[in-house]
Amino acid sequence: MPTSDKNDPVSETLPFRPRARLLQLLGDQLIGSPRLAVFELVKNAYDADAEQVTVTLSSLGTAQASITVQDDGDGMTLATVKDIWLVPAHDHRGLQRSKLKRTKLNRLPLGEKGLGRFAVHKLGDAIELVTRAPGEQECVIQIDWTALIAKEFLSEAEVTVETREPLVFTGNKKGTRLTIGELREANWTRGEVRRLLRQITSISSPFNARSDQFNTELKVPEHPEWVSGVPDISVLLERAPWRFVFSFENGKIDWDYEFRGIAGIKLEKRAVSSNAGNLQIVADRDVDDLGANQGATSKTARKLVADESMTDGLGPVTGEFYVFDRDREVLQLLGDSQLIQSFLDENGGVRVYRDSIRVYNYGEAGDDWLSLDLRRVNTPTRNISRNIVVGAIDLSLEKSTSLVEKTNREGFVENAAYANLRRIVLGALAILEIERKIDKDNIRAITGKGKDREAANITMPLQALRDAAKKHKLSAELDPLINKAEKNYNEMRDTMLQAGISGMGLAIVFHEIEQGVRLLYDAIEDGRNLQNVQVQARELVRVLDGFSELLRKGDRRDHSLKHLIKRARDLNRVRFRNHDVSLVCPILEDDSPGIERRFSFGLLLGALNNLLDNAFHWLQVRWPEGSQNDRKIYIGIEPDLTGCPAIIVADTGPGFQDDPDRLIKPFFSRRPDGMGVGLYYANMVMELNGGHLAFPDAAEVGLPDEFTGAVIALMFPKEGTSS
């Protein structure tokens, strides 16, 4: 008879045997805070078709402290309690949502993972659930969490479900009441209660009318004053000087901008709108391993306009923003300035809603999902920060299927759909910021705050770098380099003032170091290694060191305008090809020597390249899917434009929509990521060389008919004129 060797393989089938404390771990680990746990219970009431939810915090600070969440929703039958509520991770809500099965109040469920009920276990150890479905008896569950998790295995953790004649939901009442005692956090402060109040009352979007009702209320019987005196958000929003609404659908954006005026400042109200327009978005950046990227390295044109494909799995995106002004001169004119500042400190930011129900934690203090504050650091005179905007983005729950909420209930998984959502919202915000800057500049001029804005644009980002370095304990290593950058800037500024060119060049300095500032700030905040951060800081100093040489005027001599154009064409051959742009340049097709003038060749070449850069961008905006038949740039020489020779640059883009005086102001741009110094730079270079920038009509310079876009003239001095 054969014998079995003890080393022979043996297999058997074994089940998982989860410990009972797994339930407690789910509650603790999946829900980030007690406030978020209450928020989850309120969302569960929404899924139950409740129209009224009341949260009561009783006996806070005592051993009898409790939290009660009661709703008038559909309640649960005994079968629902047994087969769903007591079955963790049951997917009935997820299936209901995937099948687009709506409730009697036409709601799609917010829940999908079957884990939201563990919010109760985040809050306390003694739990009582009382629930009643229409026409049914009441079901009561008592859970002693301490006793439950004392069991070794989950299969041994049993609870008793009692059915009884209704005592809580009597008569025709229905709903669910959850009472949590033996709280893990019993000492709720007034500030925490107020934050909870703001959180649960913000669950419904204040900007969109609902087809149903969903009201929330917070009560603190022993401290009613903690939840009283909350300002009416609609009244405060009426005081916001700016309002902006948009809707992006089918690859097109509709928007309405409104400057509502400020009492005490004599500035006309202004309203602008656009329907079915293209939405500019910020192109993806190419970044190297050191984070020291100085521009695009890709040879293919990147997407600059949002198209219909960007809302696949996202659905239509709508938004509404109210923007305030925290400059002291303006704030004091709005009335109740302290109340407004406190309101903005607590509510500033952009929240996200699906079917008008909030997705936590977008828009909370400390959450900057759109990086508004960093954008403000980079472009402080235009971009808005979180503490001056109250906004909401609303999505369709049915159509935003690619947006998946994280298991910990703190936002969406950061997938491709989420990235597209950010780009769409930032593109819309850029429209608001551009329009607002027009009114803001006028306000600064009236209040006397418009002087030396260029200096502020340098000092503010450098101070932000110092603050970031201090926060990450890198001051000793980085402050000397930041101080050197500031010293170099101030020395250059003084030199320019002495040379009589104040107001010129400073914006250009900031334009060149802007990328360095942003990337250095990112590197510090991301916690990259110190060596790489120091490399970027030294690069910032090096850029400033080289500016005096760049802007010097001593290299002027006679040059051919035709040769300048030829050089610009040769440098941009690859860009013309990659952007699918046709160049129309008759002057390079003849043998004439062309016109000569005295100028700095390098500076003029830089100015001409700036104009071409703008043209490439706007051609792609107007013709996202265009070809060389649509995208064309014209470069020519006009020998006598108002008595002066000029290089003419024109395109088939959308053209200018602002007056020339505004176009050459620093920091004004209609590009969402534009610094607004391209035309300012070109005009400054022309003035340094005795000329100027002009914006003639197409008919003045005899352009071919198809060039209906932007027309710019680099005007050179008359022959024999000293420059």
Side-chain angles (χ1 to χ4, degrees):
M1 182 175 182
T3 59
S4 174
D5 192 302
K6 66 179 180 178
N7 293 321
D8 287 347
V10 177
S11 65
E12 57 182 314
T13 302
L14 298 173
F16 282 106
R17 301 178 68 200
R19 297 276 185 172
R21 73 187 189 97
L22 174 65
L23 295 178
Q24 183 183 35
L25 292 174
L26 285 172
D28 283 342
Q29 301 300 320
L30 293 181
I31 309 295
S33 68
R35 283 187 286 111
L36 181 55
V38 175
F39 186 84
E40 279 297 310
L41 296 178
V42 174
K43 283 173 61 179
N44 287 348
Y46 174 87
D47 284 351
D49 255 8
E51 294 183 287
Q52 178 68 40
V53 185
T54 302
V55 179
T56 305
L57 308 182
S58 301
S59 304
L60 295 179
T62 72
Q64 290 74 44
S66 67
I67 298 174
T68 301
V69 181
Q70 182 166 333
D71 67 60
D72 62 355
D74 288 339
M76 290 182 283
T77 64
L78 177 61
T80 303
V81 170
K82 290 168 55 179
D83 299 333
I84 295 178
W85 199 84
L86 289 174
V87 181
H90 198 290
D91 61 351
H92 79 293
R93 293 294 190 200
L95 291 172
Q96 184 181 338
R97 196 158 116 188
S98 65
K99 294 177 181 178
L100 302 181
K101 184 179 179 181
R102 293 183 176 271
T103 66
K104 286 182 291 184
L105 294 181
N106 199 38
R107 297 174 182 172
L108 282 178
L110 302 173
E112 54 183 338
K113 298 181 175 68
L115 299 175
R117 73 206 63 171
F118 290 106
V120 296
H121 310 310
K122 178 74 174 182
L123 295 169
D125 290 333
I127 298 160
E128 180 190 65
L129 171 72
V130 181
T131 185
R132 185 192 181 198
E136 300 283 337
Q137 288 190 307
E138 267 183 0
C139 295
V140 182
I141 304 174
Q142 301 277 353
I143 300 177
D144 180 346
W145 205 241
T146 304
L148 202 66
I149 63 173
K151 302 292 185 181
E152 186 172 9
F153 294 106
L154 186 59
S155 58
E156 301 168 5
E158 297 179 337
V159 297
T160 300
V161 181
E162 173 193 353
T163 57
R164 69 187 186 191
E165 287 296 317
L167 298 177
V168 176
F169 298 99
T170 56
N172 293 324
K173 294 178 183 177
K174 58 184 176 59
T176 299
R177 186 184 74 183
L178 265 168
T179 304
I180 303 107
E182 297 181 20
L183 299 184
R184 298 182 186 180
E185 179 54 69
N187 297 315
W188 287 65
T189 66
R190 178 183 182 276
E192 289 167 336
V193 170
R194 300 277 282 199
R195 284 190 287 274
L196 175 63
L197 174 65
R198 187 177 72 251
Q199 197 163 309
I200 66 171
T201 54
S202 71
I203 191 169
S204 292
S205 173
F207 305 138
N208 289 342
R210 299 186 58 86
S211 60
D212 61 333
Q213 277 194 326
F214 187 62
N215 301 313
T216 55
E217 182 182 12
L218 178 63
K219 295 181 178 179
V220 187
E222 290 81 13
H223 298 282
E225 72 280 3
W226 286 8
V227 291
S228 64
V230 177
D232 186 332
I233 185 173
S234 62
V235 173
L236 290 176
L237 292 180
E238 281 302 312
R239 298 187 188 178
W242 291 276
R243 178 177 179 266
F244 180 80
V245 296
F246 80 92
S247 175
F248 182 77
E249 189 172 6
N250 299 323
K252 298 294 180 181
I253 185 170
D254 297 337
W255 57 267
D256 292 282
Y257 167 90
E258 181 184 8
F259 170 59
R260 306 195 286 192
I262 299 170
I265 295 180
K266 294 182 179 180
L267 185 60
E268 290 292 324
K269 297 178 181 180
R270 192 170 69 91
V272 190
S273 63
S274 175
N275 295 318
N278 286 342
L279 173 64
Q280 291 187 73
I281 55 175
V282 177
D284 295 324
R285 293 175 56 82
D286 297 314
V287 180
D288 62 27
D289 292 337
L290 286 177
N293 170 55
Q294 293 299 309
T297 59
S298 173
K299 291 185 178 181
T300 58
R302 296 167 296 169
K303 184 181 291 187
L304 300 181
V305 174
D307 56 28
E308 194 169 357
S309 69
M310 288 188 67
T311 51
D312 289 346
L314 192 59
V317 182
T318 63
E320 186 164 356
F321 303 92
Y322 292 82
V323 183
F324 291 79
D325 192 322
R326 295 185 76 145
D327 283 356
R328 184 170 53 86
E329 293 79 7
V330 176
L331 194 58
Q332 65 188 8
L333 297 173
L334 298 180
D336 293 327
S337 61
Q338 190 58 51
L339 176 63
I340 289 176
Q341 290 191 81
S342 299
F343 167 72
L344 290 172
D345 288 342
E346 293 180 355
N347 296 279
V350 179
R351 297 171 179 172
V352 176
Y353 295 83
R354 289 213 282 191
D355 282 4
S356 297
I357 296 296
R358 188 174 174 193
V359 179
Y360 190 85
N361 58 342
Y362 299 117
E364 284 295 290
D367 172 76
D368 191 10
W369 67 287
L370 294 170
S371 301
L372 297 185
D373 291 343
L374 177 56
R375 292 170 72 253
R376 172 76 173 176
V377 166
N378 294 334
T379 315
T381 62
R382 187 185 77 180
N383 291 349
I384 60 177
S385 54
R386 281 184 303 157
N387 70 348
I388 64 171
V389 62
V390 176
I393 301 301
D394 213 338
L395 307 165
S396 163
L397 184 60
E398 177 181 333
K399 296 181 179 179
S400 59
T401 52
S402 293
L403 289 174
V404 181
E405 291 189 42
K406 295 178 181 177
T407 305
N408 67 0
R409 305 306 201 274
E410 295 188 8
F412 297 120
V413 174
E414 295 178 5
N415 57 16
Y418 173 75
N420 283 337
L421 173 64
R422 287 187 79 253
R423 295 173 75 188
I424 290 168
V425 175
L426 287 171
L429 269 172
I431 298 171
L432 161 61
E433 290 167 332
I434 291 162
E435 294 296 339
R436 176 179 173 269
K437 188 178 189 306
I438 295 173
D439 300 308
K440 182 64 177 172
D441 285 347
N442 291 333
I443 291 171
R444 288 192 180 111
I446 293 171
T447 60
K449 298 291 288 185
K451 299 177 181 178
D452 205 15
R453 299 303 301 178
E454 292 88 350
N457 282 330
I458 294 293
T459 57
M460 289 172 64
L462 291 179
Q463 184 57 47
L465 288 180
R466 288 194 186 93
D467 293 342
K470 182 178 180 181
K471 183 174 77 172
H472 293 275
K473 299 180 180 179
L474 296 173
S475 296
E477 294 84 358
L478 295 182
D479 274 3
L481 291 169
I482 297 171
N483 292 340
K484 178 69 162 63
E486 187 171 47
K487 178 175 179 290
N488 286 1
Y489 169 77
N490 288 332
E491 287 177 352
M492 184 185 308
R493 181 171 178 271
D494 291 342
T495 300
M496 288 181 170
L497 290 172
Q498 292 170 10
I501 52 173
S502 62
M504 289 188 182
L506 301 180
I508 308 309
V509 175
F510 185 67
H511 182 233
E512 291 298 319
I513 69 169
E514 178 265 340
Q515 280 191 341
V517 170
R518 180 179 64 244
L519 291 168
L520 179 54
Y521 187 96
D522 284 345
I524 295 171
E525 288 291 327
D526 292 347
R528 297 182 194 163
N529 71 64
L530 179 60
Q531 182 180 1
N532 289 351
V533 171
Q534 286 177 314
V535 166
Q536 288 180 231
R538 291 192 186 96
E539 175 66 15
L540 184 62
V541 173
R542 186 195 64 75
V543 169
L544 279 165
D545 276 339
F547 254 97
S548 293
E549 181 67 20
L550 175 66
L551 293 176
R552 66 187 175 86
K553 300 196 293 180
D555 63 346
R556 291 189 194 175
R557 56 188 178 86
D558 290 339
H559 297 284
S560 163
L561 303 190
K562 184 176 178 179
H563 178 62
L564 176 66
I565 294 172
K566 183 177 184 300
R567 181 66 176 143
R569 179 202 63 183
D570 293 344
L571 285 174
N572 288 280
R573 281 186 187 276
V574 174
R575 299 186 72 197
F576 276 103
R577 184 166 59 250
N578 289 339
H579 286 275
D580 210 7
V581 174
S582 174
L583 173 63
V584 178
C585 191
I587 190 68
L588 296 184
E589 297 173 6
D590 61 43
D591 297 327
S592 63
I595 299 170
E596 288 196 351
R597 282 296 183 270
R598 191 173 187 81
F599 57 84
S600 170
F601 193 89
L603 289 181
L604 261 294
L605 184 60
L608 191 50
N609 277 330
N610 252 302
L611 302 187
L612 290 176
D613 179 69
N614 282 343
F616 286 129
H617 174 88
W618 290 109
L619 287 170
Q620 196 171 341
V621 168
R622 184 180 180 188
W623 309 102
E625 306 300 328
S627 66
Q628 289 191 10
N629 291 327
D630 302 312
R631 301 177 183 173
K632 296 182 180 182
I633 292 176
Y634 173 93
I635 306 178
I637 295 177
E638 181 65 32
D640 186 4
L641 182 60
T642 64
C644 300
I647 293 178
I648 307 299
V649 180
D651 61 47
T652 56
F656 296 118
Q657 61 186 92
D658 301 285
D659 60 74
D661 287 343
R662 187 172 304 283
L663 291 172
I664 60 174
K665 282 185 177 179
F667 308 112
F668 180 80
S669 173
R670 290 193 176 272
R671 292 170 61 162
D673 59 341
M675 280 297 301
V677 294
L679 294 179
Y680 179 83
Y681 174 85
N683 186 61
M684 184 200 74
V685 166
M686 293 308 298
E687 289 187 351
L688 288 174
N689 287 278
H692 64 280
L693 212 61
F695 300 88
D697 292 333
E700 287 184 71
V701 290
L703 289 173
D705 292 341
E706 65 265 33
F707 289 95
T708 58
V711 183
I712 304 173
L714 296 167
M715 304 289 293
F716 291 85
K718 297 177 183 179
E719 190 172 5
T721 302
S722 174
S723 59

